[in-house]
Amino acid sequence: MAEFPKKIVEPNIETLYNVSPIPGAASKYECHRGHEKAIKLMSYPIPYPPLKGEEAIKRVLNRLKELANERRSVRMFMEICVRCGACIKQCHFYLGTQDPNNTPVGRAELLRKIYRRYFSIGGKLFKGLAGAKELTEKVLNEEWYKYFYQCTECRRCSMFCPFGIDTAEVTMAAREALASAGLVTKYITEVIAKVYIYGNNLGIPPKAFVDSLEFFAADVQDLEGITLKVPVVINKDLYEEFAQKVLAKSPELKQDVERILKEIDEVRSKSYEFVEIKDKAEILYVPPSADLFTNVDTTIGVIKVFNAVAEKKKIDWAFSPFASEAAVFGLFLDYMDIKDIQYRIVRQAEKMNAKYVVFGECGHAWRAYYNFLEALHKPLSFKFIHILEFTRDFIERGVIRLDKSKNDEYIVTLHDPCNYARASPKLIYDARYVLKAAVNNFYEMREDTIKEKTFCCSGGGGLLTDEIMELRMLGAKPRASALKEVIDKYGVNYLAAPCAIDKAQLPLVVQYYELKNKKTGELIKVGGIHDLVGRAIIFEKQR
Amino acid sequence: MIDIIFTYIALSIFILGIIYKLYTWAKSPIPVPIGIYQDSTSAASAIKHILLDVIFFRPLLRFGGNFILWLGSWLFHIALFLTLIGHIKLFLHYPIVLPMIEIRPILKLFVSTILPASLIYLLLRRIVHRDLRYISTPADYFVLLLLLGIIISGIIMANSGINLVAVKYYILSILSFKPVKVDLPIIFWIHYTLVLILLIYFPFSKLMHLFGALVSPTKTSYHKTKAHTKKLEL
């Protein structure tokens, strides 16, 4: 693993858009290739070893043709772009790397040039004159593989395109075409493989999952004297059902699968002080798994919200280690994996007779469930809601009360996760409602960097991997610039970012750009919204 | 003779080409409707968004340094639209008298200066800005130059005292499939030929953005969620 890169650009919001193109500037950033162990667990048929030469080209072109037939967005976005360039200065990766292939139009043209050559009359007849180009292995490896994994699919560009061209759709199509020839990244396939084996991105097995929850509640009891109940649903037969699918593809995982099943027996037979094991619940809470590992305060905040509601209403809820991952990394690869990852949540909700599924602070969950769930899974036995909407509803109804003064040491600004900002039902406004109910000191960053125009943290879209760290840091330059402005102007010392990828990426961004608390000189704290809610929430029947 | 054959070929390719293109777009389904407007939850709201975007070029007005582009491109399209409206009189049997006939010279002056000026802006920006040069295809320059040729020849022709009655007679004779020969100056034929080339080029080019702007899947998709709720029944 390379060492953490040194800062090579300065975050300055005044000069944010003063960039000129440096062709090839980002061509050094490349994700590691996928390996067989993970690739064979994918739902999408990805050839291993990767195809080469004519075979690869034929397969990619064939998939591209199919995609244009299967998805109107792919076909139209290949044809209606007029190269007006309105999108150019709106992409955080262009503003950070200055590589013109990282402009939305530049990125799309990598695909369009090939599309024209093989699928349009002008391209077939006039070739280069029509802006058409032949597909070669060099194009696949040096252009497509590199640059379509330099897009976080944040969709900011679609806000500025007169035709609403969504470069995320172009990126998703290109990645699927690459996958059909075996060109996939290590990070994405490994993470998806872990979901299929363990149920979450980090590979947290069921016993560690349950023990963590017990530990968090014990901590709160010790430090605050508050007793929290943490219900957990475990259905062993669900694990057995899905284990068969994994073993059919990778029989060598037998020992891992058996260990997981044994852990479930251990958990069921153990007695916990705070965790309550059961088979059914009305409400399934699905966190991003990182909330069990690093974003502990968010999880504690959420558990407190449920427990505070329980003081006034009968609420039957639970975690589930089987459904311990809200994020859907299939978004970064192909529709089949989106469907199969979501299927775990769908089956768990059915099995436990859940009426509602509540998703935690996670952008890739929201994007996948709000946009894709109903198109890929019918009928559904539950309704779904985001934890921010959930908490807001109870604050509005007066069921939960918060003491804002508990957060007075924080001067807070809000980073809108890209996946909440683009086409979700007003989640960014729910975030503000809950945040402002929990803190007294809140300042917005500059208008063109927030809400629907928020700049992506640059860690999503399957890019949260070490080998492209410098790329991630450069892409975060717009967000860092906006953050620096409010640090300087208002003394902001807490960056609220209600999304697990943000919580993994933004602390590194703060470190890279040396964004420090003006008073203490410490790096700016990055945390969730429910972290702050947890500090402010009032338990009326306890203490 | 050749002018008449060429006209029929160009018109056929134009009409059939557009129908074909729209058919290929419609044939591809939208398996996952993903819109870009958060409050778009009905066909009515989707239509509203599309109209606002198309009439006012709204996305170019969003914060981010596209205002000059908005001005140049919006003025170009408005002037183009007015010019095309003005050409309607060539296609109708009956004489048309515009209400408030005093507008005509003002309108004509506005259009004949704004139209080429904004087009030249659109061409120059593509040459001057390095990032635009990088992403432009030869076709982008071709279309701009073709349009420039049409516009300049049209302005020269309009100011040359051309016999518009003869032009109208010619056009109508072709459209009613009883073509006649006419004696028109060369500037007309230059303008006319360039227009026919544009018609042939249209369906196979980015000019289809005319329809693309109206039916872009991210704008026609609105969210009819049944499973999402903002409140629990508790």
Side-chain angles (χ1 to χ4, degrees):
Chain A
M1 198 180 88
E3 55 177 83
F4 193 69
K6 287 233 162 308
K7 178 171 65 161
I8 56 176
V9 290
E10 282 302 323
N12 182 349
I13 200 155
E14 301 303 322
T15 58
L16 179 59
Y17 298 110
N18 300 356
V19 290
S20 50
I22 306 173
S27 59
K28 56 180 146 155
Y29 306 119
E30 187 176 334
C31 293
H32 292 328
R33 300 295 172 102
H35 52 70
E36 185 179 17
K37 225 165 72 124
I39 284 178
K40 61 180 175 168
L41 284 173
M42 300 297 100
S43 297
Y44 194 77
I46 300 172
Y48 188 87
L51 303 178
K52 291 216 172 301
E54 269 312 301
E55 217 198 329
I57 289 163
K58 244 179 55 171
R59 184 74 68 90
V60 167
L61 287 174
N62 192 47
R63 188 65 195 125
L64 186 56
K65 185 157 112 168
E66 287 174 352
L67 284 164
N69 287 336
E70 288 166 18
R71 300 179 201 172
R72 189 178 302 168
S73 54
V74 174
R75 184 175 295 287
M76 284 185 68
F77 296 161
M78 288 293 101
E79 300 181 5
I80 66 177
C81 170
V82 295
R83 261 79 58 204
C84 73
C87 59
I88 288 177
K89 292 199 177 162
Q90 312 309 333
C91 176
H92 51 119
F93 279 115
Y94 178 61
L95 295 176
T97 64
Q98 296 182 233
D99 187 322
N101 280 341
N102 275 336
T103 57
V105 55
R107 198 184 315 282
E109 282 293 310
L110 294 176
L111 195 63
R112 269 191 211 112
K113 285 193 172 70
I114 306 300
Y115 179 89
R116 282 177 199 122
R117 175 70 181 79
Y118 299 95
F119 306 122
S120 86
I121 296 175
K124 286 188 220 175
L125 285 174
F126 298 108
K127 303 206 179 71
L129 279 180
K133 185 167 152 174
E134 205 183 310
L135 183 60
T136 62
E137 271 192 284
K138 187 152 179 278
V139 169
L140 284 178
N141 290 303
E142 294 301 312
E143 294 183 14
W144 287 22
Y145 184 76
K146 284 188 181 170
Y147 289 101
F148 284 111
Y149 284 99
Q150 294 196 21
C151 168
T152 47
E153 300 178 3
C154 84
R155 314 176 72 211
R156 186 169 196 274
C157 46
S158 68
M159 295 275 108
F160 296 90
C161 173
F163 313 104
I165 294 176
D166 181 355
T167 314
E169 298 257 352
V170 176
T171 296
M172 287 169 83
R175 288 186 189 180
E176 228 187 274
L178 285 167
S180 69
L183 292 165
V184 293
T185 68
K186 176 172 178 284
Y187 174 65
I188 293 172
T189 49
E190 270 184 0
V191 168
I192 296 178
K194 279 189 237 173
V195 174
Y196 290 142
I197 302 170
Y198 298 97
N200 55 72
N201 289 355
L202 294 175
I204 303 173
K207 187 156 175 305
F209 182 84
V210 177
D211 284 350
S212 301
L213 292 172
E214 175 80 2
F215 180 68
F216 301 160
D219 239 20
V220 171
Q221 177 76 70
D222 285 342
L223 296 171
E224 301 175 50
I226 306 262
T227 307
L228 297 172
K229 286 242 138 291
V230 192
V232 176
V233 155
I234 302 190
N235 306 112
K236 189 173 178 196
D237 39 357
L238 204 53
Y239 273 94
E240 284 163 346
E241 182 188 319
F242 280 71
Q244 295 314 310
K245 302 187 198 195
V246 166
L247 290 175
K249 292 186 185 167
S250 297
E252 73 276 13
L253 289 174
K254 193 162 185 291
Q255 275 191 318
D256 299 88
V257 165
E258 277 173 2
R259 185 167 50 86
I260 291 170
L261 292 172
K262 212 164 102 131
E263 281 191 12
I264 293 172
D265 292 328
E266 280 176 45
V267 167
R268 290 198 78 104
S269 60
K270 190 167 153 183
S271 67
Y272 294 92
E273 191 180 341
F274 305 98
V275 165
E276 189 195 310
I277 305 288
K278 45 192 200 174
D279 289 319
K280 296 192 194 299
E282 266 187 14
I283 300 170
L284 169 64
Y285 173 68
V286 183
S289 59
D291 280 10
L292 270 288
F293 187 62
T294 53
N295 311 323
V296 173
D297 287 334
T298 306
T299 306
I300 289 178
V302 171
I303 295 174
K304 282 186 176 178
V305 166
F306 277 99
N307 276 265
V309 171
E311 284 195 333
K312 303 230 181 97
K313 286 189 177 290
K314 190 166 164 312
I315 182 168
D316 176 22
W317 68 289
F319 281 86
S320 157
F322 183 83
S324 49
E325 184 60 67
V328 178
F329 268 42
L331 281 172
F332 316 144
L333 198 54
D334 68 276
Y335 281 23
M336 285 171 74
D337 284 284
I338 295 177
K339 183 171 183 182
D340 287 345
I341 293 171
Q342 289 185 330
Y343 187 56
R344 297 181 62 94
I345 307 298
V346 171
R347 273 299 285 142
Q348 172 67 86
E350 277 172 13
K351 194 90 186 141
M352 63 193 268
N353 289 357
K355 289 210 324 230
Y356 298 101
V357 174
V358 182
F359 291 105
E361 292 189 1
C362 177
H364 291 124
W366 199 244
R367 168 105 151 98
Y369 288 95
Y370 191 69
N371 285 334
F372 287 82
L373 180 66
E374 287 169 277
L376 298 176
H377 296 273
K378 276 189 269 275
L380 291 171
S381 58
F382 57 89
K383 289 198 193 284
F384 67 93
I385 188 173
H386 193 278
I387 188 68
L388 286 168
E389 297 170 312
F390 179 92
T391 301
R392 175 190 187 149
D393 180 30
F394 288 116
I395 295 175
E396 274 180 333
R397 291 202 244 166
V399 175
I400 305 175
R401 285 179 39 240
L402 305 172
D403 175 7
K404 294 192 204 187
S405 69
K406 289 280 181 0
N407 286 313
D408 274 347
E409 72 185 89
Y410 293 127
I411 303 172
V412 184
T413 189
L414 175 65
H415 163 81
D416 290 297
C418 63
N419 281 319
Y420 294 174
R422 261 72 78 175
S424 81
K426 317 259 179 155
L427 209 56
I428 50 184
Y429 299 102
D430 298 314
R432 279 165 175 75
Y433 183 92
V434 175
L435 186 54
K436 289 186 202 173
V439 304
N440 277 315
N441 315 313
F442 172 68
Y443 296 96
E444 296 269 20
M445 288 185 267
R446 201 171 79 174
E447 175 215 338
D448 58 323
T449 68
I450 61 170
K451 296 186 186 160
E452 288 88 351
K453 302 194 207 75
T454 192
F455 274 107
C456 178
C457 71
S458 294
L463 269 58
L464 195 74
T465 177
D466 285 345
E467 67 263 29
I468 47 171
M469 182 64 77
E470 187 172 77
L471 170 71
R472 285 162 52 186
M473 296 299 111
L474 291 178
K477 177 161 165 254
R479 171 48 69 222
S481 305
L483 178 57
K484 181 162 191 299
E485 191 188 32
V486 290
I487 294 171
D488 291 340
K489 255 165 98 174
Y490 306 115
V492 159
N493 57 23
Y494 187 104
L495 176 61
C499 164
I501 292 278
D502 290 339
K503 290 170 195 164
Q505 163 83 347
L506 290 170
L508 295 174
V509 171
V510 159
Q511 183 186 334
Y512 181 84
Y513 288 102
E514 297 161 9
L515 298 173
K516 299 193 172 116
N517 183 328
K518 280 206 305 194
K519 284 209 189 101
T520 66
E522 288 172 351
L523 291 174
I524 298 294
K525 187 169 160 68
V526 178
I529 291 183
H530 278 77
D531 308 25
L532 298 167
V533 169
R535 287 167 54 107
I537 203 163
I538 298 171
F539 282 95
E540 294 177 8
K541 300 205 176 134
Q542 298 195 46
R543 280 251 245 99
Chain B
M1 189 55 195
I2 187 164
D3 52 311
I4 296 169
I5 298 175
F6 194 32
T7 302
Y8 285 128
I9 291 176
L11 281 173
S12 310
I13 295 178
F14 179 68
I15 293 171
L16 294 174
I18 288 181
I19 292 174
Y20 169 70
K21 270 288 159 184
L22 293 177
Y23 168 72
T24 61
W25 290 358
K27 211 167 69 146
S28 293
I30 305 179
V32 182
I34 301 181
I36 56 174
Y37 290 123
Q38 293 208 19
D39 58 354
S40 202
T41 50
S42 68
S45 62
I47 291 173
K48 180 196 90 186
H49 278 294
I50 291 173
L51 286 176
L52 283 174
D53 284 351
V54 166
I55 296 173
F56 298 107
F57 285 31
R58 190 175 52 158
L60 292 178
L61 283 171
R62 295 184 177 132
F63 193 135
N66 289 322
F67 181 73
I68 306 284
L69 173 60
W70 174 82
L71 195 63
S73 102
W74 191 76
L75 284 175
F76 170 73
H77 285 79
I78 292 290
L80 186 64
F81 178 68
L82 291 171
T83 308
L84 291 172
I85 296 278
H87 278 58
I88 287 180
K89 64 180 183 240
L90 293 173
F91 299 94
L92 300 171
H93 281 283
Y94 310 103
I96 288 225
V97 179
L98 252 184
M100 292 195 338
I101 225 158
E102 302 83 56
I103 292 182
R104 283 183 59 208
I106 303 171
L107 208 59
K108 203 166 145 186
L109 186 65
F110 171 79
V111 168
S112 55
T113 45
I114 294 286
L115 191 56
S118 55
L119 181 63
I120 288 170
Y121 158 73
L122 290 175
L123 181 57
L124 279 181
R125 67 185 286 270
R126 210 172 269 287
I127 297 173
V128 163
H129 293 295
R130 259 192 297 151
D131 44 15
L132 285 173
R133 270 207 312 270
Y134 188 91
I135 53 109
S136 295
T137 68
D140 297 327
Y141 298 100
F142 169 72
V143 159
L144 288 166
L145 291 169
L146 181 60
L147 284 168
L148 197 60
I150 293 174
I151 287 163
I152 290 180
S153 61
I155 291 173
I156 294 173
M157 180 179 68
N159 290 314
S160 69
I162 188 167
N163 181 356
L164 280 176
V165 176
V167 172
K168 190 167 166 177
Y169 186 53
Y170 175 63
I171 301 283
L172 286 175
S173 75
I174 293 193
L175 291 180
S176 52
F177 295 104
K178 293 196 208 87
V180 295
K181 277 168 81 74
V182 277
D183 185 23
L184 285 165
I186 187 89
I187 190 69
F188 169 80
W189 294 114
I190 293 174
H191 183 75
Y192 188 68
T193 308
L194 291 176
V195 169
L196 292 184
I197 293 174
L198 184 71
L199 290 181
I200 294 176
Y201 181 75
F202 192 106
F204 311 107
S205 70
K206 72 181 195 183
L207 294 175
M208 287 298 288
H209 73 273
L210 166 63
F211 301 100
L214 295 168
V215 291
S216 173
T218 45
K219 299 195 186 180
T220 57
S221 294
Y222 53 90
H223 212 92
K224 298 173 289 193
T225 173
K226 293 198 187 80
H228 171 249
T229 178
K230 283 188 94 70
K231 289 184 201 298
L232 262 54
E233 272 148 52
L234 217 65

